[in-house]
């Protein structure tokens, strides 16, 4: 189910000079904001939770997921180079699974690690806030990678749709509209952070058992459907 050659090519595409520079911007901004907040307000659990929840989980993680998830396959489909990969004796489900693993690894590296560092800067992991939000970032990275990889497989406008989802649904509706929160990856991840964090500084509108089931269901369904769509993608010579 994992093809090292496909993984190497995908890592190279995602961590190329231009895309890597984009990936570094949001983590750097989070750490800079955290340092500034710590200097201005000192160590405060609630402020730390607000910064990590409002910027790291609500904005940074989904946007990095968009870049990594859609970038793992979208450009290859857009420029037609995917036909060379599909011509190889590798199962298309293996291609999707391998690209998902790479997208997850990249999203985790560029979101979870900066989230933990920012948490340490903000309040030194007081109330387990840094750890809680780091775990939330790790869990959310899996679901976002699967969702945006699927978008990259089914649409040539995956980045646009991904940005709309990340900025409008997750950041706006997922944070403000009560009914939409149940269908928000952000809230599912926060339910786990709520269980880990102390002092009631982290809250989620979704119960942990429900969040766990939804996270698993969305990840598996998105990965399976992406594999199905790739199977129906015809090579140029087959048309």
């Amino acid at each position: 189910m994992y093809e090292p050659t496909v993984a190497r090519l995908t890592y190279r595409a995602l961590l190329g000079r231009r895309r890597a520079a984009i990936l570094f911007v949001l983590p750097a901004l989070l750490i800079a904001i955290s340092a500034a907040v710590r200097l201005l307000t000192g160590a405060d659990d609630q402020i730390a939770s607000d910064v990590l929840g409002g910027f790291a989980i609500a904005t940074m993680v989904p946007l990095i997921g968009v870049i990594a998830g859609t970038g793992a396959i979208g450009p290859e489909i857009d420029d037609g180079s995917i036909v060379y990969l599909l011509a190889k004796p590798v199962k298309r489900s293996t291609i999707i699974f391998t690209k998902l693993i790479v997208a997850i690894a990249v999203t985790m590296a560029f979101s979870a690690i900066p989230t933990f560092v920012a948490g340490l800067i903000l309040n030194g992991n007081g109330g387990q806030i840094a750890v809680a939000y780091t775990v939330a970032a790790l869990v959310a990275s899996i679901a976002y990678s699967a969702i945006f990889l699927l978008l990259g497989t089914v649409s040539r406008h995956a980045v646009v749709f991904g940005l709309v989802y990340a900025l409008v649904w997750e950041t706006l509706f997922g944070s403000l509209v009560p009914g939409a929160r149940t269908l928000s990856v952000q809230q599912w991840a926060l339910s786990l952070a709520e269980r880990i964090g102390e002092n009631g500084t982290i809250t989620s509108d979704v119960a942990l058992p429900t969040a766990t089931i939804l996270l698993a269901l969305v990840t598996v369904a998105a990965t399976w459907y992406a594999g199905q769509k790739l199977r129906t993608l015809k090579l140029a010579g087959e048309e």
Side-chain angles (χ1 to χ4, degrees):
M1 291 297 292
Y2 182 84
E3 174 54 49
T5 301
V6 175
R8 185 174 63 254
L9 293 173
T10 307
Y11 274 119
R12 185 180 301 173
L14 287 179
L15 300 177
R17 184 177 301 175
R18 183 166 52 186
R19 196 174 295 272
I22 297 173
L23 286 169
F24 274 109
V25 169
L26 287 172
L29 182 59
L30 171 64
I31 292 175
I33 291 173
S34 300
V37 169
R38 178 62 186 267
L39 287 174
L40 292 172
T41 66
D44 184 283
D45 290 355
Q46 188 58 57
I47 291 177
S49 181
D50 291 342
V51 172
L52 295 179
F55 185 82
I57 302 300
T59 303
M60 184 183 75
V61 180
L63 287 179
I64 290 176
V66 170
I67 297 170
T70 61
I73 195 170
E76 291 176 296
I77 294 177
D78 290 342
D79 63 20
S81 61
I82 190 70
V83 298
Y84 299 105
L85 183 58
L86 298 180
K88 302 296 182 182
V90 180
K91 291 182 178 179
R92 300 191 182 189
S93 58
T94 298
I95 294 173
I96 287 295
F97 184 76
T98 302
K99 288 182 174 293
L100 175 63
I101 294 300
V102 173
I104 290 172
V106 171
T107 306
M108 285 182 171
F110 283 90
S111 61
I113 295 173
T115 297
F116 183 68
V117 173
L120 293 181
I121 293 173
L122 285 164
N123 75 334
N125 195 37
Q128 292 293 305
I129 289 175
V131 171
Y133 278 108
T134 299
V135 172
L138 290 171
V139 171
S141 295
I142 299 173
Y144 283 133
S145 296
I147 292 170
F148 297 130
L149 180 65
L150 172 60
L151 280 178
T153 306
V154 301
S155 174
R156 290 182 178 273
H157 306 289
V159 174
V160 175
F161 291 135
L163 289 174
V164 170
Y165 176 88
L167 296 176
V168 177
W169 183 264
E170 289 287 347
T171 305
L172 184 59
F173 286 98
S175 300
L176 302 177
V177 182
R181 294 175 187 172
T182 305
L183 301 177
S184 167
V185 174
Q186 173 191 338
Q187 292 298 321
W188 302 342
L190 286 176
S191 69
L192 185 57
E194 182 181 21
R195 181 64 60 91
I196 298 172
E198 300 172 359
N199 305 325
T201 53
I202 305 173
T203 59
S204 172
D205 290 345
V206 183
L208 182 57
T210 302
T212 303
I213 293 171
L214 290 172
L215 280 166
L217 183 62
V218 166
T219 301
V220 172
T223 304
W224 174 83
Y225 192 60
Q228 293 298 111
K229 294 298 293 183
L230 195 62
R231 285 193 185 96
T232 62
L233 184 67
K234 292 183 178 181
L235 300 180
E238 296 175 341
E239 296 178 347

